[in-house]
Amino acid sequence: MSDSGVPAAGSRQQRIALVDVNSFYVSCERAFDPRLEGIPVVVLSNNDGCVVARSDEAKTLGIKTGEPWFKLAEAAPHLGLVQRSSNYELYGDLSSRVMELLGRFALWQEVYSIDESFLGLAGTPGELDEQGTRIRAAVARHTGLPVCVGIGTTKTLAKFANRIAKQNRHLDGVCNLETMDPAAVQTIMSRVPVTGLWGVGAKLGRRLEAMGIRTVADLKAADPAVIRSRFSVTLQRTVLELNGTPCLPLEEERADRQQLIFSRSFSVPVTTAAQMRQVMSIYAQQAASRLQREHQQARVLTAYAGTSHFSHKAASFPSVTLKLQNPTSDPVVLTRAAVGALEDHIVEGIPYTKAGVMLTGLSDAGAQPVFDAFVPAQEHRHLGELLGRVADKYGSASIGLGVAGMPSARPEWTMSRKFSSPRYTTAWDELPVVKAR
């Protein structure tokens, strides 16, 4: 066993790769607007409130994640800083394309987040390096997005290798711990603070520091039994994984996915019950659509709304939880439940600034058979699937139930995105146009 926690190089073996898109939101914007390359770019949160993503150039300017945009707006032109509203349609679509592409290279795949995926790879150390290079080239060619690849014997080591690949340009975006000099890996581990490790936050870092564990190397050298007794089995697994013992199995579906929330802040406060019915109708149908795509059903629905915590007017935070008759993903059932839940709780004239629908008690579709007589008629006709297919083909605004399906103007309260780029890949009228001379 080498000091890096991986077996000696040589034979063809299975390894774990962590592929991560660099500065994902910013990279998505740059893929369709090359003018943004090399300049500081920030992507803003809902309603253009604060910074949620930064390019390396923006980081160099000292801009922090969470910094309010209004504090940066005046200086932005002088700094050469460009802002973009969050373009969720674009980011979601490009994420799906990247993950599908990565799956072609893997023995198995676990999509960890919108821009990260664990892959199972096999080969000699040299072959794994080549695979990492091919993965980067394929993603760049087919999506225009830059990725880094970290390869190790465990998920924790793969994640750490990805960090090394990102911060050392001479590696060309691929770090395979097995082909690195073990002494160099140990040196890096001794320089990286323990809070730079996957799953170790600031609070836990302070507790570890009190024990003299300040770096990744310190944690790797710690006694796993002592770590478990003083902290948790989760941190013990991290220690074992740093030493090359796999403790985190493949999770095709994230085990922590126990709820689905569709919530937004309003650009303009909602002040009437009629407006709130429209909000609940739209949110419930979007939540139902997501359930349909993920082949899941929900047993419990919670509808809620709230005024600003900084409002000087009367505060109101209604929240109603309903247990549905049967687990369902049916948009009719969920819409009726969401709209009806808050019907008697919205106070006319009160400026509500946020609302949401939360679905819990999630289970796989069909996992709990229901007596036929209790299944709504529209479920027999697969109405939810029909709505989903139409929306996928013609856009989310093309069809809906009740007020959510009315071809009216964009509701006044919907999220403000003043600096949004086009939905280049999901809206026909916003497709890029290329002209040849």
Side-chain angles (χ1 to χ4, degrees), residues 142-161:
H142 294 289
T143 68
L145 301 178
V147 301
C148 282
V149 182
I151 303 172
T153 52
T154 68
K155 287 184 176 180
T156 301
L157 287 172
K159 187 86 169 175
F160 187 73

Side-chain angles (χ1 to χ4, degrees), residues 11 49 61 105 180 236 340 399:
S11 61
L61 291 175
F105 291 86
M180 285 189 69
Q236 180 194 37
I399 192 169

Side-chain angles (χ1 to χ4, degrees), residues 403-417:
V403 293
M406 296 177 64
S408 57
R410 188 169 180 260
E412 182 183 28
W413 48 265
T414 52
M415 185 172 58
S416 174
R417 294 191 285 183

Side-chain angles (χ1 to χ4, degrees), residues 16 21 46 94 108 136 156 159 186 202 207 231 255 260 311 404:
I16 298 173
V21 182
N46 294 347
L94 287 182
W108 53 260
R136 292 193 74 237
T156 301
K159 187 86 169 175
Q186 185 65 20
R207 292 180 61 196
F231 296 92
L260 188 157
S311 175

Side-chain angles (χ1 to χ4, degrees), residues 11 38 133 244 298 382:
S11 61
T133 299
H382 304 289

Side-chain angles (χ1 to χ4, degrees), residues 76-390:
H78 306 290
L79 297 173
L81 179 65
V82 175
Q83 78 282 11
R84 288 287 185 269
S85 302
S86 293
N87 190 337
Y88 300 114
E89 297 86 350
L90 177 65
Y91 307 154
D93 183 63
L94 287 182
S95 173
S96 297
R97 294 172 186 235
V98 170
M99 298 310 163
E100 189 277 331
L101 183 60
L102 294 179
R104 302 179 192 178
F105 291 86
L107 301 173
W108 53 260
Q109 178 180 23
E110 178 190 328
V111 177
Y112 182 70
S113 67
I114 191 172
D115 61 343
E116 295 178 279
S117 184
F118 287 106
L119 306 178
L121 303 179
T124 64
E127 290 172 341
L128 293 173
D129 286 340
E130 293 175 1
Q131 288 186 56
T133 299
R134 286 198 299 271
I135 287 172
R136 292 193 74 237
V139 175
R141 177 182 179 185
H142 294 289
T143 68
L145 301 178
V147 301
C148 282
V149 182
I151 303 172
T153 52
T154 68
K155 287 184 176 180
T156 301
L157 287 172
K159 187 86 169 175
F160 187 73
N162 186 278
R163 175 192 175 104
I164 296 175
K166 282 188 174 182
Q167 297 184 352
N168 295 271
R169 293 189 176 183
H170 69 279
L171 295 176
D172 293 326
V174 179
C175 175
N176 180 359
L177 293 181
E178 196 166 353
T179 56
M180 285 189 69
D181 179 359
V185 176
Q186 185 65 20
T187 298
I188 294 172
M189 286 185 170
S190 66
R191 293 175 177 174
V192 176
V194 71
T195 50
L197 195 62
W198 183 32
V200 180
K203 184 176 180 180
L204 179 56
R206 288 192 292 270
R207 292 180 61 196
L208 287 168
E209 187 173 356
M211 288 180 58
I213 299 176
R214 297 180 175 83
T215 69
V216 173
D218 293 335
L219 184 60
K220 179 188 173 187
D223 185 335
V226 173
I227 292 298
R228 177 169 182 167
S229 65
R230 297 193 180 183
F231 296 92
S232 67
V233 66
T234 300
L235 192 59
Q236 180 194 37
R237 289 171 181 161
T238 298
V239 175
L240 293 172
E241 288 235 332
L242 283 173
N243 286 280
T245 301
C247 299
L248 302 174
L250 167 67
E251 301 175 30
E252 294 183 4
E253 295 294 336
R254 298 289 302 282
D256 57 355
R257 177 60 179 273
Q258 299 176 355
Q259 62 185 21
L260 188 157
I261 300 176
F262 203 99
S263 176
R264 295 286 187 273
S265 297
F266 307 137
S267 59
V268 176
V270 166
T271 59
T272 69
Q275 287 179 309
M276 190 60 73
R277 284 194 294 270
Q278 185 183 34
V279 171
M280 288 292 107
S281 178
I282 292 174
Y283 286 6
Q285 289 175 57
Q286 290 173 328
S289 177
R290 193 174 301 173
L291 282 179
Q292 292 273 348
R293 288 197 302 272
E294 298 178 4
H295 305 290
Q296 288 191 306
Q297 296 175 318
R299 186 60 188 266
V300 179
L301 179 146
T302 300
Y304 59 91
T307 54
S308 170
H309 290 280
F310 304 101
S311 175
H312 298 296
K313 298 184 179 181
S316 179
F317 300 92
S319 177
V320 178
T321 298
L322 302 172
K323 185 174 182 180
L324 305 171
Q325 185 175 17
N326 298 301
T328 184
S329 61
D330 183 80
V332 176
V333 174
L334 295 176
T335 299
R336 286 174 177 169
V339 171
L342 294 184
E343 192 74 44
D344 299 325
H345 299 272
I346 298 300
V347 181
E348 295 283 340
I350 292 291
Y352 295 96
T353 58
K354 186 174 183 177
V357 172
M358 179 171 68
L359 302 175
T360 54
L362 302 187
S363 61
D364 293 336
Q368 302 178 45
V370 179
F371 182 51
D372 199 58
F374 296 111
V375 178
Q378 67 272 2
E379 288 201 34
H380 280 301
R381 297 193 295 268
H382 304 289
L383 180 57
E385 295 178 19
L386 173 62
L387 293 175
R389 289 198 300 270
V390 173

